[in-house]
Amino acid sequence: MHSTSILICDPKEYDNDVDSDDPVSLPPYLILQMSHDDTYPSDTVQPHLNSNRSGPPHQTLPNGLSSHRGHQQGRKGTDQVLQDPDLKLGELNKPHSPRSQPEKQPNQHSRDSPEPNGTALPRRTERLRHSNGYSQHGPSTQKHEKKHERKPSLPTRRWSASIHTTNSSNSSGTPLKPTSPSQASLPYTHSDHGLVDKEQKENGSVGQEYTTAVCTNGRQRARSKSHPKLPNMSLTRACQTHSLGCTYPMAIVFLISWTLLGFIFHSNFYHQVDLNSCRDTYMQPKFFILQGFDRERTAFAGKYKLLFFRDQYDYSLQVPSSMLTEVSRYVYTVNKEAKVQPLGIPALFIPGNAGSAKQMRSIAKEASKYYYENVAEAHRGSKALSRPIDFFTLDFNEEFSALHGHSLLEQAQFLNDAIAYILSLYDENRPYDPALPKPTSVLLIGHSMGGIVARSVFTMRNYRPGTVNTIVTAATPHILPPVSLDFEISNIYDRIESFWSRGFIGPDAPLGNVSLISIAGGNLDLTVNGESGNIHNIVPQSNGFTVFTSSIPHTWVGSDHVAILWCNQIATVLGRTLIDIVDASYAGQVKPLDVRMGIFRSRLLTGVDDHLGDSTNSKDGEMIDVSQMGHTIIDTDRRLAYPHKIGSIGSDDDSDAPHLYVMPIPHGDVDTFSVLTDHHLGSESRLDVFLCKDASSDVGSRSMTLSQLLCRSKAPSAIPMPASPANIISSAYLGRYGREQEFRYISEKLDEMNSAEYVVIMDRGRKNGEPGFLVAEFTAEADTSMTVETTTLGLLNNGFRMHGFPERPSLVSTLRLPNIDNSLLTYNLIADRQGCHVPQRFSPMLRQSSWTMYEDRYSINIAAKESGIDINFHGNLPYFDRIQLPDKKGIEFRFWMDPTCPVPLSLNLQVDRYGSIGKVVIRYRMVVLVFTFLVVVLTLRGQFIDFNKGKPFIPFGMMLSRLITSTFWKFSVILGAIAFLQSLKVREVTQFGHTNQQPSDAAEDILQGPGGSRNAGQDAYERMIQARIARSQPWFSSFRFEDMLLGANDTFFWFLAPVFFQVSIGIAILIWILLNGLVRSIAATLTFVSKRGGRYVVGRAIGNMLSKRSRGVKRRVITTIVLFIMVATLVPYQFAFVVAVLVHIVSCVRSLIVAQAANPTQAPAAWDRHHYLMSIFVLFFLLLPITLPVLLVWIRNISVQWYEPFSSDHRLDYIAPFIFFVEAVTDGAMVPRTPEKGYAAVTIGILNFIIAFLIMFGVRYSWQIYFMSRIWIVWLLILKFMAHNGSPSKRPKHDPSRNENRTK
């Protein structure tokens, strides 16, 4: 039994006088596209079987419809159809008044009834565009095969319909017949393959070529406001959503994903972020390009430059003006013949990714200013030991070094050449002091990736040992690159890790005398994660450390990625530090390692816990005659609060005569002495603090009367802190050098006071300034500190509340929360101190400290902040072992309060849930790319599984929609299970200590244990070295279970991987919508131009391109060979890949146009090919983030006229599979079905391998995505080659590639 099915065909032109308000009646089981023009045919309707309307002049249609072209008759018959909703097609042969309406009889047709009632549609609707090739099976046409009698002609416009006859019988031979117009019994239903016959779906024949084809984005351009409904959806909506796969689950996932992404990015940029309070630095810079550093000295002279910096404070460059050429403002060129002879100590700045050579001017200016205003004057008598710093800087033309590993290697090679040239500028005999040795090393300052370049110089072949011994880095990602898109960057990191992990071992260690300081900006730096700047697992504490700008004394501000160089507070401290560590009397131009590291610690670390201001640094003791001065002895159980009364100065405070406050050191449970003041302390300040012993009494005894005290000043031990006056809430206004802006704090353990018996505070009288305040006391640490164990769930549910802290009034109190150690959670702390009715000398202040790096953050006047204090910190990266500082675990809060007020603090610590979700951005930035690629691979896997089973190649969007409700949620459960199992594995913890002793052997004194035990520290160091060496091996050989997926994390965060996966589904949906819209827009534009502009050259050219193969075989071969030659010699393979993607877009557009114009026989295969190409297009699109960065670097090099090829990016084997694949699909190739189990298993097995790889290594080694895709493309080429030779399966019966040149 044969039945007639109607296909939606390519739209025809229509006139603009269509009335959208008139109803149209069509049977619900018959989808009929009709096009009209201004002619009036006879009483029949003419069908056309292909796009060019070719066919017999007359053809009988079902239900009495026949066709005849050429006549112009009236419109009565068509109006009859259009106006009568219940008129059946068979009744067109009968005279019928258009105004008469037969009586409706709903539900009168049974399943055997061939003609159900029609369903009202808009009367003169505009034509429907081409459908996705679906064959919609109508009722049996057996009774309509009789010859029809000629009926009176109907006044109608000319309509055309596409008719396709197929065998729609079921297995028993019974024709498929609709029963009623109701939705429950309609013969068509919505399935994954589109609108199909219900019995056909029940019989399992959905997807067979002879029954249906896949629908693609047909559109009904009707202007009516209401559309009749087909089963479950309108015809227009059905065709629109099939290609995109628009379903309610997909829409829900899309909205949830992008809403969550919006919240994450909003939280990342606007919540839990430090206030940027950096001040600008002003200068008058001059930069001199040294042309003497030419190609004879370096191979990269045409690409990079070496500049010499001068400021108004610096000495003038002794070069004749005739040898200088002004290039731009502040930039001059020094003639190659000019002799440049620097007079100071060489230092070299290395910019980072897209960084400028001029970024170092703030630090250089502050260093010069500090030298000429302070050091030069102080060493005027011994000027030979004091020299300014000569700052050189490298100009990399703002190269994207973070995106291209080969550029990093070139910069490192150029850096070594620049160091050799700089040292050659200094003569053996310096004209100002021949006794000074010639410099043998250069101090390096690196920003961002410039720090990696500085560390990599030791691994280069042109490195000269001893030329680098001090490296200071700012915002440098030492552990992991910001983005891992280039395999060579990963190799560089591994090579650096391997060298530095062994560089400190043995007496002749190559890095034994090298100091490395890493400065991080904090949470304002959204480019480089502060956790990746942690070098505590790279260098021992005797050779370096990591510190955040919020911890640096006199700075106390966070900074973003660029501000860390120009921020005046930071530049001032760094400039002074560099001047302090250099020494021209040494050939290395810097002080010895132990002295150098001591200066770094005293300048850059707070010292609150490390007691770095040791008494050994104090000058020799001085004798104080107590009998000749007024003095007051303070009882041991009392504290000293100076002045005694706020606002009412006593006689001792108002006197011009000096006065002593003597505090005997108590014995017993008391173990700590603390002092806080707003004075600088010292001989030039009004107040000073001394440790004294009675010079007239025997050792160990204490005299009842005091006469002579031998004292040692504790002023050098004073630690600067931000001031906390009552009228300032934020420390953003602090950080200046001045008593009114800073406090001084001294904390000393009693067992470290040696033989001291008294603490003496000296007031030198009113003539030395206003009294300010000073609070001193002896306390027991056990009474002022508290440790509270918490849990993450407990903090999330109830937070942490404490009333009455501390129990006893104290100047300093400490609260430790050891279980708060995950940097993904942020908190809000509200501190309240109500009821203090006495005037306070200062407002309560807080310092929060991290456990893994020197990261401190101060908050002043905390009781006045009603909205609370942001609490956030940095920890360890997930793929590395935990490294923690000595005696540190979790987070620590230290409070300073005026103890004269007995009211304690009330604390309320709550998890900032919204602020926490933004912390995943910078830590897991590569997850978005990797998991989105994972979604695409899973979708491809589903498409090929169905395709190899004989079903049509389902569109990417439809398969994505199907997997959302089936496979994806199961896969999310698997990801959550893996993350949960990872969290159960206990991560090793290595605890560092530091020593200020000079290391005689790098392996001996590099590390000490928490208790000072060398053996414990050495064992920990050896374990760490072994772990680092293991990590420095190739990625595939150093795999650990805890390195899978997102890396090891707390058990609480097991849900992160499933959440990221669901978000990636939403991203994949958006990418698919955009790419599908792009291809369809281009196709529609080209089709329009080719039709409307056919008389013009452009229109004819586009028409030829769409109807014919754009190139012959010979031309394509020549083009491919030329492209391969270019890749091998000039352009990187990434350029060829971008070209391949562009060509593939053309193939996608052409396949869409061919499918839309294909006849019913060719349509299924044509749509299969188009859907296949679109899925590959999505895959290629996700490879662009890996290839485009290198292309940008290449374009940048071309812009600076650097044409040297990249040796690592001219690999033909990296690009050849993609080129051959694109050429194959351009020729009309379609991947063959592989019903054989072996080939199908290989196809799905490769995709499964890619999925497994993405889970294990994808996030950390995301650059491998490109090479995994290459394997997949190679396999597709193999399948195509075997199909061309008769295996693995036969060529499809209707191959659109055979008819691509014939079909428009």
Side-chain angles (χ1 to χ4, degrees), residues 1099-1170:
R1100 289 197 300 269
I1102 294 177
N1104 293 335
M1105 182 190 71
L1106 299 180
S1107 61
K1108 299 179 180 179
R1109 299 179 186 178
S1110 60
R1111 297 175 295 172
V1113 176
K1114 182 178 180 181
R1115 185 176 179 182
R1116 290 202 311 274
V1117 171
I1118 295 175
T1119 303
T1120 303
I1121 294 175
V1122 171
L1123 186 59
F1124 282 167
I1125 294 175
M1126 292 178 62
V1127 171
T1129 57
L1130 181 61
V1131 301
Y1133 72 86
Q1134 291 86 351
F1135 173 83
F1137 179 80
V1138 174
V1139 172
V1141 173
L1142 296 178
V1143 175
H1144 189 75
I1145 294 177
V1146 175
S1147 299
C1148 293
V1149 173
R1150 182 184 297 152
S1151 68
L1152 175 61
I1153 296 175
V1154 169
Q1156 289 175 339
N1159 58 43
T1161 304
Q1162 299 171 339
W1167 283 112
D1168 280 352
R1169 179 173 177 269
H1170 172 67

Side-chain angles (χ1 to χ4, degrees), residues 819-1101:
N819 294 333
I820 299 181
D821 58 357
N822 195 296
S823 59
L824 291 179
L825 286 180
T826 62
Y827 305 85
N828 183 267
L829 176 65
I830 298 178
D832 188 17
R833 197 187 191 192
Q834 297 181 356
C836 189
H837 302 294
V838 298
Q840 300 182 60
R841 292 164 177 80
F842 63 95
S843 299
M845 61 183 300
L846 164 69
R847 190 203 70 172
Q848 68 170 77
S849 301
S850 176
W851 55 275
T852 182
M853 290 174 281
Y854 293 104
E855 181 185 15
D856 302 321
R857 187 175 291 110
Y858 288 93
S859 300
I860 64 174
N861 204 356
I862 58 176
K865 296 181 178 180
E866 298 180 358
S867 59
I869 307 160
D870 289 339
I871 305 297
N872 55 78
F873 53 91
H874 294 81
N876 280 123
L877 287 176
Y879 303 106
F880 294 85
D881 295 332
R882 294 166 64 96
I883 307 296
Q884 66 185 42
L885 298 174
D887 302 325
K888 291 284 188 179
K889 188 177 181 182
I891 194 170
E892 177 184 283
F893 298 130
R894 181 163 292 190
F895 300 90
W896 284 266
M897 297 176 290
D898 188 349
T900 58
C901 175
V903 179
L905 285 173
S906 295
L907 305 177
N908 183 7
L909 182 69
Q910 299 290 336
V911 176
D912 186 356
R913 294 176 175 84
Y914 189 78
S916 299
I917 63 175
K919 296 303 176 183
V920 302
V921 174
I922 194 169
R923 187 172 185 177
Y924 297 112
R925 69 179 73 191
M926 297 307 302
V927 173
V928 174
L929 174 63
V930 174
F931 276 25
T932 305
F933 190 82
L934 180 61
V935 171
V936 172
V937 174
L938 287 170
T939 306
L940 280 172
R941 180 179 178 273
Q943 290 176 300
F944 273 88
I945 288 177
D946 282 1
F947 184 66
N948 289 334
K949 291 180 179 179
K951 299 179 181 180
F953 200 94
I954 301 178
F956 185 89
M958 292 178 61
M959 179 55 68
L960 193 64
S961 179
R962 178 194 297 180
L963 296 180
I964 287 176
T965 58
S966 58
T967 303
F968 283 165
W969 72 266
K970 299 177 183 178
F971 199 80
S972 299
V973 173
I974 295 175
L975 295 179
I978 294 175
F980 179 79
L981 293 177
Q982 282 182 301
S983 65
L984 299 180
K985 184 175 177 59
V986 180
R987 298 173 64 185
E988 295 185 2
V989 178
T990 302
Q991 188 176 77
F992 274 100
H994 71 264
T995 174
N996 292 328
Q997 300 176 356
Q998 183 176 2
S1000 58
D1001 187 343
E1004 293 289 335
D1005 299 327
I1006 262 175
L1007 190 69
Q1008 288 186 346
S1013 170
R1014 176 203 167 277
N1015 293 332
Q1018 183 67 18
D1019 293 341
Y1021 178 72
E1022 291 177 355
R1023 291 195 303 270
M1024 183 198 67
I1025 290 297
Q1026 293 175 359
R1028 284 161 51 187
I1029 293 176
R1031 288 196 305 271
S1032 64
Q1033 300 299 321
W1035 57 271
F1036 52 84
S1037 62
S1038 59
F1039 171 74
R1040 300 181 302 175
F1041 178 71
E1042 54 268 30
D1043 292 338
M1044 287 179 57
L1045 209 59
L1046 305 181
N1049 209 333
D1050 293 346
T1051 306
F1052 174 77
F1053 294 99
W1054 65 268
F1055 63 89
L1056 283 181
V1059 169
F1060 287 146
F1061 183 71
Q1062 295 299 324
V1063 170
S1064 299
I1065 296 175
I1067 297 175
I1069 294 173
L1070 179 63
I1071 292 175
W1072 165 246
I1073 293 175
L1074 294 177
L1075 298 183
N1076 189 63
L1078 173 66
V1079 170
R1080 291 184 177 272
S1081 299
I1082 297 176
T1085 302
L1086 295 179
T1087 303
F1088 176 82
V1089 173
S1090 64
K1091 289 182 178 179
R1092 297 302 176 95
R1095 67 173 66 99
Y1096 303 108
V1097 176
V1098 176
R1100 289 197 300 269

Side-chain angles (χ1 to χ4, degrees), residues 316-494:
S316 299
L317 189 63
Q318 302 299 323
V319 176
S321 58
S322 59
M323 296 287 186
L324 299 178
T325 303
E326 185 174 1
V327 178
S328 61
R329 189 180 182 184
Y330 308 132
V331 180
Y332 301 85
T333 299
V334 181
N335 196 298
K336 162 176 203 181
E337 287 75 19
K339 182 174 178 59
V340 179
Q341 188 173 8
L343 305 178
I345 296 173
L348 182 58
F349 174 75
I350 311 160
N353 178 64
S356 171
K358 302 177 182 179
Q359 289 177 314
M360 45 71 62
R361 57 186 181 267
S362 297
I363 298 175
K365 181 259 182 181
E366 292 298 333
S368 299
K369 178 182 177 181
Y370 175 69
Y371 172 80
Y372 286 104
E373 290 183 352
N374 298 274
V375 179
E377 293 295 330
H379 295 82
R380 184 175 297 274
S382 57
K383 195 173 181 180
L385 300 178
S386 174
R387 285 290 176 270
I389 297 179
D390 297 327
F391 282 94
F392 297 84
T393 178
L394 299 179
D395 185 3
F396 291 142
N397 289 308
E398 300 181 3
E399 194 171 41
F400 300 106
S401 56
L403 307 177
H404 191 217
H406 189 76
S407 297
L408 273 179
L409 294 178
E410 291 180 345
Q411 292 180 4
Q413 185 176 350
F414 180 78
L415 174 58
N416 276 324
D417 294 337
I419 292 174
Y421 176 74
I422 291 172
L423 293 177
S424 68
L425 297 178
Y426 294 84
D427 292 336
E428 290 287 349
N429 298 322
R430 296 192 178 186
Y432 50 83
D433 194 337
L436 292 178
K438 179 183 178 180
T440 59
S441 67
V442 177
L443 191 154
L444 300 183
I445 303 117
H447 173 243
S448 187
M449 296 303 292
I452 300 300
V453 175
R455 288 181 58 201
S456 63
V457 296
F458 301 94
T459 65
M460 304 301 295
R461 294 181 179 179
N462 61 338
Y463 170 70
R464 296 194 304 174
T467 54
V468 176
N469 54 28
T470 302
I471 302 175
V472 178
T473 66
T476 295
H478 287 284
I479 300 180
L480 287 176
V483 289
S484 53
L485 298 178
D486 184 45
F487 72 95
E488 196 161 2
I489 288 183
S490 181
N491 294 338
I492 291 173
Y493 269 79
D494 292 340

Side-chain angles (χ1 to χ4, degrees), residues 7-8 130-137 164 166 193 200 206-216 947 950-955 1151-1152 1154-1173 1230-1231 1233 1292-1297 1299 1303:
L7 287 178
I8 305 173
H130 193 293
S131 170
N132 295 1
Y134 259 98
S135 297
Q136 307 298 342
H137 301 283
H164 180 43
T166 60
H193 297 282
Q200 183 186 29
V206 178
Q208 302 298 326
E209 280 189 43
Y210 66 90
T211 58
T212 186
V214 179
C215 179
T216 61
F947 184 66
K951 299 179 181 180
F953 200 94
I954 301 178
S1151 68
L1152 175 61
V1154 169
Q1156 289 175 339
N1159 58 43
T1161 304
Q1162 299 171 339
W1167 283 112
D1168 280 352
R1169 179 173 177 269
H1170 172 67
H1171 298 150
Y1172 165 67
L1173 295 184
M1230 170 64 184
V1231 63
R1233 301 181 191 272
K1293 181 178 180 181
H1294 301 293
D1295 192 344
S1297 64
N1299 304 279
T1303 307

Side-chain angles (χ1 to χ4, degrees), residues 665-711:
I665 297 177
H667 301 284
D669 297 335
V670 177
D671 55 10
T672 305
F673 171 72
S674 302
V675 175
L676 183 67
T677 181
D678 61 351
H679 284 262
H680 267 288
L681 300 179
S683 59
E684 297 181 358
S685 177
R686 176 169 180 172
L687 299 180
D688 204 352
V689 179
F690 297 91
L691 292 181
C692 305
K693 63 181 178 180
D694 192 350
S696 61
S697 63
D698 298 332
V699 178
S701 63
R702 182 175 297 177
S703 175
M704 299 300 296
T705 60
L706 298 178
S707 57
Q708 297 287 332
L709 293 178
L710 181 60
C711 300

Side-chain angles (χ1 to χ4, degrees), residues 1270-1281:
R1270 185 180 59 165
I1271 297 175
W1272 170 243
I1273 295 300
V1274 168
W1275 174 246
L1276 294 180
L1277 289 174
I1278 293 175
L1279 289 180
K1280 178 58 183 175
F1281 175 77

